[in-house]
Amino acid sequence: MNWDDLKLFLEVGRRARLDDAASNTKLDATTISRRIKRLEKDLGLTLFERSRQGHALTPSGEQLTALSEKIESAVFEILSLSNADTALSGRVRLGAPEGFGATVIAPALSCFREKHPFIEIDLIALSGFVSVPRRQADMSILLTRPTTRKLHTQKLRDYELYFCANERYIETVSPLNTISDLRQHTLIGYSEDLIYSSQLKYLQDILPGLSPQLCSPSIIAQKSMIASGAGVGILPSFMLSEEDPIIRVLPEFSITRTFWLVVHEDVSELARVQEISKFLTDLSF
């Protein structure tokens, strides 16, 4: 049996779509499909149910996943035995919430790269979770503390969120002095059916019945709407700067949330992973 075929099997099982697996492995989708079919033939098993939506694991595929992940874990343990110079190289996949990844982590990577020129990082900054247990990433920053096993979890830090608006908008609309005044304003927020964490459901917690009229699953798009004067929204403090045409409104009110750093236990002892963990812990924002 070819271990490389098992790695491709795990990749397809975690991503479902051949195009996504191809993008990550630098192989074309046709090659991956051919090798998966070869693996199925060698084992005499059907590992995936194929549809337009992608590849879904069969019961046999689920069993092979569990066994293959044990092999994968053993490989990571072998890699961890390498000396310090070798260990401070290689690729790490890091998941992060879109706003934090784009605003805080991305600009700081140049300094990290200067210190560790042989560590390569895939920064997956998007509006949603990147699963560490399913190996979509080696490590990830989450909004809630996970309870899944095989994870090393630490609190990264708390952060604040504020009501914000364009100053021009505030000058041309009805007064905004109390929380109840929000009912008279255009609100900007997350699309209800695309909210990926309960920690992002701010408005209902603040005042029952509040709902945004302008929505996006992207916090960067929400910031653009706020900056243009479209309405009032909630932004994390680390996304605000003096260059933005955005001011804080209802200054006595703020929301506190927490970032959690999650690392798969199989890679947690790798030097390159530990260096990135330290880099994230030391970030100021």
Side-chain angles (χ1 to χ4, degrees):
M1 183 181 297
N2 189 331
W3 163 236
D4 286 339
D5 286 346
L6 286 179
K7 288 197 293 184
L8 284 179
F9 161 74
L10 286 174
E11 192 72 29
V12 174
R14 289 163 181 162
R15 301 181 185 283
R17 297 180 61 85
L18 289 181
D19 287 344
D20 293 339
S23 176
N24 191 49
T25 61
K26 311 305 180 187
L27 296 173
D28 63 81
T30 302
T31 298
I32 295 175
S33 178
R34 184 175 66 250
R35 288 173 60 174
I36 292 297
K37 289 177 180 177
R38 181 179 70 186
L39 180 61
E40 290 180 317
K41 182 178 179 181
D42 290 344
L43 295 175
L45 298 170
T46 300
L47 303 174
F48 293 103
E49 292 180 359
R50 294 158 173 85
S51 69
R52 291 183 178 179
Q53 285 69 44
H55 284 52
L57 288 167
T58 63
S60 295
E62 295 281 2
Q63 288 182 305
L64 184 60
T65 296
L67 295 171
S68 299
E69 286 183 339
K70 291 181 181 180
I71 299 174
E72 187 180 51
S73 296
V75 171
F76 280 121
E77 288 184 20
I78 293 170
L79 291 174
S80 69
L81 298 175
S82 59
N83 61 46
D85 290 339
T86 303
L88 285 174
S89 65
R91 183 173 296 275
V92 176
R93 291 175 65 84
L94 168 63
E98 180 193 32
F100 185 61
T103 306
V104 178
I105 299 177
L109 286 180
S110 60
C111 293
F112 180 85
R113 184 71 173 168
E114 289 177 5
K115 186 176 180 181
H116 301 294
F118 301 110
I119 296 179
E120 301 174 353
I121 298 177
D122 289 340
L123 175 59
I124 310 170
L126 46 74
S127 301
F129 289 126
V130 180
S131 176
V132 172
R134 295 187 61 193
R135 299 287 196 178
Q136 293 174 341
D138 301 304
M139 55 201 308
S140 190
I141 298 168
L142 305 180
L143 299 178
T144 56
R145 183 169 190 163
T147 57
T148 309
R149 294 179 299 173
K150 300 190 72 174
L151 299 177
H152 286 195
T153 302
Q154 70 178 80
K155 180 177 179 179
L156 197 56
R157 63 168 287 179
D158 294 331
Y159 66 98
E160 301 296 317
L161 299 109
Y162 307 130
F163 277 106
C164 299
N166 181 294
E167 188 171 8
R168 186 179 69 255
Y169 170 86
I170 293 299
E171 292 173 350
T172 58
V173 295
S174 59
L176 180 53
N177 300 314
T178 67
I179 292 295
S180 61
D181 290 338
L182 288 169
R183 297 186 188 278
Q184 311 303 318
H185 289 263
T186 299
L187 299 181
I188 297 167
Y190 285 96
S191 307
E192 179 66 26
D193 60 332
L194 296 177
I195 292 179
Y196 62 90
S197 171
S198 60
Q199 298 299 305
L200 299 177
K201 295 183 178 181
Y202 314 124
L203 294 179
Q204 281 294 327
D205 293 341
I206 295 167
L207 188 63
L210 281 184
S211 62
Q213 291 79 46
L214 297 176
C215 304
S216 174
S218 166
I219 189 65
I220 293 177
Q222 290 180 40
K223 180 181 177 181
S224 293
M225 287 188 273
I226 295 169
S228 72
V232 180
I234 295 175
L235 293 174
S237 56
F238 55 78
M239 288 188 68
L240 301 177
S241 69
E242 294 182 356
E243 290 75 26
D244 294 323
I246 295 174
I247 61 171
R248 184 178 173 185
V249 296
L250 299 174
E252 74 286 352
F253 187 88
S254 66
I255 302 168
T256 302
R257 291 292 187 263
T258 302
F259 281 138
W260 298 91
L261 177 60
V262 178
V263 183
H264 200 288
E265 67 176 16
D266 292 341
V267 301
S268 62
E269 298 303 318
L270 295 179
R272 61 181 179 271
V273 171
Q274 293 182 351
E275 284 299 319
I276 294 175
S277 295
K278 183 178 184 300
F279 156 72
L280 294 171
T281 303
D282 292 344
L283 279 178
S284 58
F285 61 93

